[in-house]
Amino acid sequence: MKSVRADLPSDLPPAQRALVRVVASIPPGRVASYGEIASRAGLPGRARLVGRVLREAPEAWALPWFRVLRADGRLAFPPGSRAFREQARRLAAEAVLVVNGRVDLARHGWERDLDELLWGMGGDAK
DNA sequence: ACCGTGACGGTAT
DNA sequence: TATACCGCCACGG
């Protein structure tokens, strides 16, 4: 084996474990911002930690990392980059379209209070 | 121990 | 709407 960096969920610090749990619970077809993930995990203001965790997260965990975007709905990767295209592709597979490098949060956001208000029926967000 | 970096975010301009 | 700053914090050099 090489280094013992990011693996073993057992060694994972509580904070990071909480973040992983939240990311894993993002419903398919929905997206959430790094900041929202952090807040939901009880770590407000730690958005950067979310990015770090996702970067280090082993493939084996199969986390829905592609459902995590920046607060303004734009993908966190450089437009056109490999990761960017991959994320856009995976989102599209869930009917979440990326237009101009961004996703319409009001439409696909995990927390779409505004939408529920407008449509008067959020029969799934929770 | 200091410093630059980064899958971020909110505010001001 | 886009850019510039600044706060935040774990890491690696």
Side-chain angles (χ1 to χ4, degrees), chain A residues 13 18-19 29 36-37 42 48 52 55 63 68 75 86 98 124:
Chain A
L19 291 175
E36 187 187 332
I37 300 299
R48 295 191 102 126
R52 183 167 199 42
R55 187 180 44 134
L63 293 174
V68 184
L75 310 203
E86 162 102 22
V98 177
D124 51 336

Side-chain angles (χ1 to χ4, degrees), chain A residues 22-37:
Chain A
V22 174
V23 172
S25 63
I26 304 174
R30 304 298 272 299
V31 297
S33 73
Y34 292 86
E36 187 187 332
I37 300 299

Side-chain angles (χ1 to χ4, degrees), chain A residues 66-89:
Chain A
F66 52 90
R67 296 182 189 137
V68 184
L69 337 166
R70 287 179 120 158
D72 60 5
R74 297 201 296 179
L75 310 203
F77 301 103
S81 67
R82 184 65 196 300
F84 181 99
R85 290 181 325 245
E86 162 102 22
Q87 181 166 23
R89 189 175 65 71

Side-chain angles (χ1 to χ4, degrees), chain A residues 22-120:
Chain A
V22 174
V23 172
S25 63
I26 304 174
R30 304 298 272 299
V31 297
S33 73
Y34 292 86
E36 187 187 332
I37 300 299
S39 292
R40 281 181 178 251
L43 299 168
R46 312 293 292 289
R48 295 191 102 126
L49 182 58
V50 177
R52 183 167 199 42
V53 169
L54 289 182
R55 187 180 44 134
E56 305 281 334
E59 274 298 322
W61 295 359
L63 293 174
W65 59 270
F66 52 90
R67 296 182 189 137
V68 184
L69 337 166
R70 287 179 120 158
D72 60 5
R74 297 201 296 179
L75 310 203
F77 301 103
S81 67
R82 184 65 196 300
F84 181 99
R85 290 181 325 245
E86 162 102 22
Q87 181 166 23
R89 189 175 65 71
R90 294 217 191 192
L91 285 173
E94 300 188 336
V96 175
L97 300 186
V98 177
V99 183
N100 272 318
R102 102 167 34 169
V103 168
D104 184 347
L105 293 181
R107 191 159 130 89
H108 305 287
W110 194 2
E111 295 286 76
R112 40 172 211 182
D113 306 84
L114 177 58
D115 207 40
E116 287 178 39
L117 217 61
L118 295 174
W119 286 60

